[in-house]
Amino acid sequence: MSATSPEKQEHASTDSANQLRLKRILVPTDFSDSAEHALKYAVRLGKPFKANIFVLHVFHLQEYLALLSDRDQTDAGAASEVLEAAKNRAGNKLEELVRRSEDKEVALLPILLVGVPFEEIVRYAAERDVDLIVMPTHGRTGVAHLLLGSTSERVISHSVCPVLVVRTRPAEKIHPTS
């Protein structure tokens, strides 16, 4: 009986000839400019492979609770209405993002889930045997970074597939010459 060592095991992103294979790319989005930049990067990366790109937004219940707290009185019916309206808005934003990013050489598939973002990203990637996750980093530093950590860091720590974190730099300021 022979056991396969971890060094001998291959991930789905490589084929038997050890060539890169990117057929399924996951791009989580929070609809920020940096997330859109990561999506554009993933589209360019996926073109040679005619990849399926899953554009995933995780509707976090904290968003919903924030909307509820803005209301003076909330009953179960109102809470349900607010939740459905918020999910519909997120779904519409996701569809619009996919429409704006369409490309003939890759298939962009919008996915809307409810839950904790990093958990849903990691779970979805594992269930769909994703070859690569491409996501932005917002460059969070200081106390917020120490206390909360970032979604990107959590995905990197828990993902079974490679994660490419795309850094977006602020636009360079152009100073006119006198």
Side-chain angles (χ1 to χ4, degrees):
M1 180 170 142
S2 72
T4 304
S5 70
E7 296 81 36
K8 299 279 185 191
Q9 294 176 347
E10 294 182 22
H11 184 269
S13 62
T14 57
D15 64 15
S16 59
N18 286 329
Q19 293 178 341
L20 187 64
R21 178 181 66 99
L22 298 174
K23 286 296 192 182
R24 290 174 302 280
I25 300 172
L26 175 62
V27 182
T29 183
D30 60 1
F31 306 119
S32 65
D33 290 343
S34 56
E36 194 158 345
H37 177 71
L39 177 57
K40 289 174 184 173
Y41 196 94
V43 167
R44 286 192 312 265
L45 196 60
K47 276 185 184 186
F49 303 98
K50 298 190 182 335
N52 286 325
I53 299 178
F54 303 102
V55 184
L56 172 67
H57 176 71
V58 180
F59 180 79
H60 196 247
L61 290 179
Q62 283 181 336
E63 296 171 40
Y64 163 64
L65 295 175
L67 292 170
L68 273 184
S69 68
D70 290 341
R71 298 177 71 112
D72 290 333
Q73 294 187 341
T74 304
D75 59 22
S80 181
E81 284 179 31
V82 170
L83 176 61
E84 285 308 309
K87 282 172 43 181
N88 285 338
R89 274 194 304 278
N92 291 338
K93 286 171 81 172
L94 186 59
E95 292 285 341
E96 176 57 29
L97 175 62
V98 166
R99 252 191 311 282
R100 281 194 323 266
S101 305
E102 280 181 329
D103 189 284
K104 293 179 215 165
E105 297 178 49
V106 296
L108 289 133
L109 307 161
I111 309 295
L112 178 64
L113 299 175
V114 177
V116 177
F118 91 90
E119 291 174 355
E120 294 303 318
I121 293 165
V122 169
R123 183 186 60 75
Y124 190 86
E127 286 177 358
R128 296 293 187 273
D129 196 25
V130 165
D131 300 311
L132 179 68
I133 298 172
V134 178
M135 60 190 307
T137 179
H138 295 289
R140 186 184 300 167
T141 58
V143 176
H145 173 74
L146 291 173
L147 294 177
L148 303 174
S150 74
T151 299
S152 297
E153 286 179 302
R154 290 178 178 173
V155 169
I156 291 166
S157 297
H158 294 90
S159 178
V160 296
C161 70
V163 179
L164 173 63
V165 179
V166 179
R167 179 163 186 209
T168 4
R169 293 196 171 110
E172 291 181 13
K173 293 182 182 178
I174 300 172
H175 299 286
T177 56
S178 311

